[in-house]
Amino acid sequence: MASICMNCVYWTTFICVALFLSFVTPAMGTQYNVGDSAGWGLSGVDYSTWAGRYQYKVGDSLFFQYAAGSHSVLQVSQPDFQTCTTTNPISSDNSAGNTVVTLASPGTYYFICGFPGHCGQGMKFGISVNPSNGINPSSPNIIYSNQGSLPSPNDALATGAAVVVAYVLLAVG
């Protein structure tokens, strides 16, 4: 009988790990390098065409690679996007380059460079972000990071860990 109980614990642990991985995997989105190898700059990239090649979903991120002090990343409203107005951004990052923007909710996002004249020279694009799980959008939220990589999915890890612990406790008890 002890052998059967140990087999139950092993199988339950295996199932828990599989469930844990299923929680973590969807939280990691695709990271898109804005402008591909040319990066974010006045390099002749048509950013609208570049952005139109992809289907974005919640959890994906945009990696803006640029030299510190030469460009910036501003999220703006549609009217400010159309007129290249930089004075009222929704969010901005004017720091050291290598900005990562995580697309945290569905909706339409507009990005421009805040340096004088850069938006007018083509450093702008808009994207539509689709829900990853079928939930309707509330309002677009973004998360800025200057680390050059995706932030860790701590919420998914915590949820997955809680599920694993619950299943193990049920199997042992």
Side-chain angles (χ1 to χ4, degrees), residues 2-165:
S3 172
I4 293 172
C5 190
M6 288 306 292
N7 284 336
C8 291
V9 170
Y10 292 135
W11 280 108
T12 303
T13 303
F14 174 76
I15 291 169
C16 291
V17 169
L19 284 171
F20 173 73
L21 292 175
S22 72
F23 279 106
V24 173
T25 302
M28 294 183 191
T30 301
Q31 183 172 10
Y32 297 95
N33 294 324
V34 176
D36 295 323
S37 61
W40 182 238
L42 295 171
S43 56
V45 173
D46 182 338
Y47 291 102
S48 293
T49 300
W50 172 85
R53 293 187 306 186
Y54 304 105
Q55 296 289 321
Y56 306 95
K57 65 182 186 319
V58 171
D60 288 347
S61 63
L62 303 174
F63 176 57
F64 292 81
Q65 184 177 13
Y66 56 96
S70 62
H71 301 291
S72 63
V73 178
L74 279 64
Q75 181 196 9
V76 296
S77 65
Q78 184 179 20
D80 287 349
F81 171 79
Q82 292 171 335
T83 60
C84 289
T85 301
T86 61
T87 55
N88 190 30
I90 296 167
S91 298
S92 65
D93 187 5
N94 300 318
S95 58
N98 295 339
T99 300
V100 176
V101 177
T102 301
L103 305 170
S105 63
T108 303
Y109 296 75
Y110 297 97
F111 298 99
I112 65 174
C113 178
F115 275 58
H118 290 195
C119 177
Q121 294 179 54
M123 287 187 70
K124 67 182 203 170
F125 66 94
I127 60 171
S128 293
V129 176
N130 300 310
S132 60
N133 58 3
I135 296 174
N136 290 330
S138 52
S139 64
N141 295 318
I142 59 175
I143 302 166
Y144 283 96
S145 169
N146 287 72
Q147 314 210 332
S149 62
L150 286 171
S152 64
N154 292 330
D155 290 340
L157 289 173
T159 302
V163 169
V164 169
V165 168

